[in-house]
């Protein structure tokens, strides 16, 4: 199959990139709804037009046959339905949140769907068909049985089959979802926070990766954090140069490059730019691809389109792609009049996805931080099904999820784990320090 379409057409409008969950406006995510949608995708099950009130009536009918004393139902009604505590009985009850009819008026359904699609891209074909191993008493099991009778298969509608832009992050996410599924109470408590963690990891790593399309399958890019209890110092070069500053700089190129990649989309699943280039390098008729990209780049730069300096004629496929990406970015510079669109994307990304991980620290400016709850969650996910990991192995798992720490922060991490009581120290060297999960 030809890796890029024939007769590429220059559009006056930049395409909205499928790989990015934000738009320049309209990003009012409801994490409760997104959580329910992701769980539905993982299980490939959902509810349709089934309200909590209807479920309550079905449970009432069910318990009329199970309970001989009517006042017991009144107690159950007060305990589980008056406060919506029934939603905390089992992870499957999160599926109520995935329904359109259950969403709040101020939610943005399209934004929720985009965020859910982003996680679907990380999940790929991954599913969890096994029932959650809930520790429920017989009344809660009866309520769960009522719910299960209303579950319906999603079929193919709930899953996006685009190729993952960051395969290493997709692998980690799938492992972490399997770990959470093995601990239903922890899943109930932390699934939403896990999704927020991965939304940041995905969008930040995507920012750092999007220009690296010649390198083949991506690997984690360095992005440095400190704990929120640490003091920030301008002398810590990795925190200063490879933290927020790097993220802020690269996020300006995210929409331009991803939007340009939409132009090269062929029939079938969406492919990342690095995959398109890799496929193009393997194509027999290289000159045909070079000619097509040269023609497109020339038309793109014309005064009637983007009014940019004409690129040189490329003689290699790499140069043709390089000019393609350079033009995509230049159209949004300060001289083009289009910069506001890109600025909106950058602003929305920082406000709606990155904000929980950014702190302002005086002379040090904005830095990336993790608080205690975020760190413990990340640690439990990283250790996963293991009982414990060597500290340096744990750092490697952090890095696969996009979180890096310099030497000074590593010492703070060890001290923090020791205060939590989940460290086994065989010696003073890092290789002999083991960290246990808290689940």
């Amino acid at each position: 199959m030809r890796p890029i379409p024939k007769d590429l057409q220059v559009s006056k409008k930049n395409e909205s990139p499928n790989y990015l969950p934000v738009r320049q406006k309209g990003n009012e995510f409801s994490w409760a709804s997104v959580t329910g949608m992701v769980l539905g995708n993982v299980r490939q099950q959902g509810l349709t037009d089934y309200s909590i009130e209807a479920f309550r009536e079905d449970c009432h009918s069910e318990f009329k046959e199970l309970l001989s004393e009517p006042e017991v139902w009144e107690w159950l009604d007060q305990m589980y339905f008056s406060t919506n505590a029934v939603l905390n009985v089992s992870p499957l009850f999160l599926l109520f949140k995935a329904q359109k009819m259950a969403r709040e008026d101020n939610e943005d359904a399209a934004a929720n769907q985009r965020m859910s699609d982003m996680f679907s891209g990380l999940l790929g074909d991954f599913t969890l068909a096994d029932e959650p191993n809930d520790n429920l008493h017989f009344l809660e099991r009866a309520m769960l049985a009522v719910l299960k009778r209303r579950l319906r298969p999603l079929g193919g509608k709930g899953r996006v089959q685009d190729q993952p832009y960051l395969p290493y992050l997709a692998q980690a996410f799938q492992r972490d979802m399997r770990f959470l599924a093995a601990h239903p109470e922890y899943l109930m408590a932390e699934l939403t926070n896990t999704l927020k963690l991965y939304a940041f990891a995905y969008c930040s790593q995507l920012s750092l990766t999007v220009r690296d399309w010649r390198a083949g399958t991506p690997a984690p890019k360095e992005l440095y954090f400190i704990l929120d209890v640490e003091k920030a110092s301008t002398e810590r070069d990795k925190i200063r140069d490879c933290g927020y500053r790097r993220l802020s700089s690269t996020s300006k190129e995210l929409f331009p490059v991803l939007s340009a990649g939409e132009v090269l989309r062929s029939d079938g699943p969406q492919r990342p730019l690095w995959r398109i280039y890799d496929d193009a390098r393997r194509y027999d008729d290289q000159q045909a691809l070079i000619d097509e990209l040269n023609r497109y780049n020339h038309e793109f730069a014309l005064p009637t389109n983007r009014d940019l300096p004409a690129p040189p004629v490329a003689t290699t496929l790499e140069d043709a792609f390089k000019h393609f990406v350079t033009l995509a970015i230049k159209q949004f510079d300060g001289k083009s009049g289009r910069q506001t669109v890109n600025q909106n994307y950058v602003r929305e990304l920082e406000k709606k996805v990155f904000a929980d991980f950014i702190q302002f620290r005086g002379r040090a400016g904005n830095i990336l931080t993790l608080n205690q709850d975020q760190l413990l969650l990340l640690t439990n996910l990283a250790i996963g099904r293991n009982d414990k990991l060597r500290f340096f192995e744990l750092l490697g798992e952090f890095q696969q999820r996009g979180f890096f720490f310099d030497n000074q922060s590593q010492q703070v991490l060890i001290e923090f784990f020791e205060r939590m009581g989940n460290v086994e120290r065989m010696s003073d060297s890092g290789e002999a320090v083991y960290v246990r999960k808290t689940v």
Side-chain angles (χ1 to χ4, degrees), residues 129-274:
D130 296 337
E131 294 291 338
N133 186 23
D134 300 307
N135 185 23
L136 307 179
H137 57 64
F138 82 98
L139 293 173
E140 291 176 340
R141 288 199 298 271
M143 286 189 280
L144 186 59
V146 172
L147 177 71
K148 288 179 179 178
R149 290 199 291 267
R150 297 300 297 259
L151 294 178
R152 298 293 181 267
L154 291 182
K157 296 180 179 180
R159 181 60 56 87
V160 175
Q161 296 296 340
D162 291 344
Q163 296 181 12
Y165 217 107
L166 305 171
Y168 64 88
L169 198 64
Q171 293 169 7
F173 183 60
Q174 292 169 24
R175 289 201 308 272
D176 292 348
M177 289 299 295
R178 192 177 299 279
F179 164 70
L180 289 173
H183 301 81
E185 292 184 4
Y186 196 61
L187 184 149
M188 288 288 298
E190 295 293 351
L191 179 56
T192 296
N193 291 327
T194 298
L195 297 183
K196 291 180 178 180
L197 197 74
Y198 267 96
F200 175 89
Y202 173 84
C203 292
S204 60
Q205 286 290 307
L206 196 60
S207 289
L208 303 179
T209 300
V210 73
R211 285 291 298 270
D212 203 15
W213 46 267
R214 285 166 286 193
T217 305
K221 304 294 184 186
E222 290 186 349
L223 190 64
Y224 282 86
F225 295 73
I226 66 172
L227 299 190
D228 62 352
V229 296
E230 286 186 74
K231 293 182 178 179
S233 169
T234 55
E235 285 75 32
R236 296 172 68 177
D237 56 342
K238 288 187 175 180
I239 301 300
R240 183 189 65 232
D241 299 330
C242 303
Y244 173 81
R245 183 182 297 181
R246 171 176 287 182
L247 179 61
S248 178
S249 174
T250 58
S251 64
K252 297 173 184 177
E253 300 175 344
L254 193 51
F255 168 67
V257 178
L258 290 179
S259 177
E262 296 287 330
V263 176
L264 302 181
R265 183 170 186 169
S266 302
D267 294 335
Q270 174 77 314
R271 295 170 298 155
L273 186 59
W274 62 264

Side-chain angles (χ1 to χ4, degrees), residues 114-125:
R114 289 196 305 271
M115 187 61 77
S116 175
D117 287 346
M118 185 200 78
F119 289 114
S120 292
L122 290 173
L123 287 167
D125 294 327

Side-chain angles (χ1 to χ4, degrees), residues 328-354:
I329 295 171
K330 280 187 175 180
Q331 67 176 310
F332 293 104
D333 67 20
K335 300 177 182 178
S336 68
R338 292 174 175 261
Q339 68 270 30
T340 301
V341 174
N342 194 35
Q343 289 169 353
N344 290 339
Y345 270 89
V346 173
R347 183 193 66 244
E348 289 295 289
L349 197 60
E350 184 157 317
K351 286 173 54 180
K352 302 301 172 58
V353 179
F354 295 161

